[in-house]
Amino acid sequence: MAQTLVQIKKYPEMEEGMVQKALNDAVKIVKENLTEFTDKFQSSNSFDGFYQATENVEWTTGFWTGVIWLAYEHTGDDAFQKAAQVQVESFLDRIENKIDVNHHDMGFLYSLSCVAAYKLTGNEHAKKAALLAADHLAERYRKSWRTKGIPTDH
């Protein structure tokens, strides 16, 4: 049954420390998952409540890398940075080799993974991957304009 605004307004307010505890619990789960999801990514669909490991070929893989970067930003733990950097290399390979990139979800893939990596660490491979992805997406947009006869030199 869907929650109503009346029901939601009856929820108790969060007590001091609840947000921090929830965040720390989430970070712990992320860290436990690094073993399985560093060289691989979580599938876009769960099976029996669990996400299977997959290659970097789906539209959702950037979300997991983004979660790792958030955990790193929160904790400063090198384990998160190292895992996310492995994934950044995968994103660079993906865009350089044009692996499953002919869609509009490039922002989901590259903003959360490579743009975040560059902002947090200055990783030049992340910057390169993000810029290549942006160029690739822009080219798709410009092609659609050309097919409609709209000039692209403006």
Side-chain angles (χ1 to χ4, degrees), residues 71-136:
Y72 170 70
E73 191 173 17
H74 175 66
T75 65
D77 186 333
D78 285 339
F80 294 120
Q81 182 181 6
K82 288 175 185 173
Q85 298 287 18
V86 167
Q87 294 196 345
V88 163
E89 294 302 319
S90 176
F91 280 101
L92 178 59
D93 179 69
R94 182 174 178 170
I95 191 63
E96 286 182 332
N97 292 294
K98 303 291 191 270
I99 300 168
D100 194 26
V101 294
N102 288 323
H103 50 75
H104 65 273
D105 294 319
M106 301 301 285
F108 293 134
L109 292 171
Y110 287 86
S111 295
L112 305 174
S113 60
C114 296
V115 173
Y118 182 70
K119 286 182 175 181
L120 291 171
T121 69
N123 180 320
E124 289 295 324
H125 283 185
K127 178 181 177 181
K128 179 180 179 182
L131 291 173
L132 287 171
D135 286 344
H136 181 73

Side-chain angles (χ1 to χ4, degrees), residues 27-64:
V27 165
K28 181 180 175 191
I29 291 168
V30 172
K31 191 160 194 177
E32 290 170 356
N33 279 293
L34 290 182
T35 303
E36 188 169 358
F37 300 113
T38 292
D39 295 316
K40 301 282 185 181
F41 296 79
Q42 294 178 346
S43 174
S44 58
N45 300 300
S46 65
F47 301 93
D48 296 323
F50 294 93
Y51 291 93
Q52 303 298 314
T54 185
E55 298 298 323
N56 188 0
V57 294
E58 299 197 32
W59 70 275
T60 57
T61 52
F63 293 128
W64 172 246

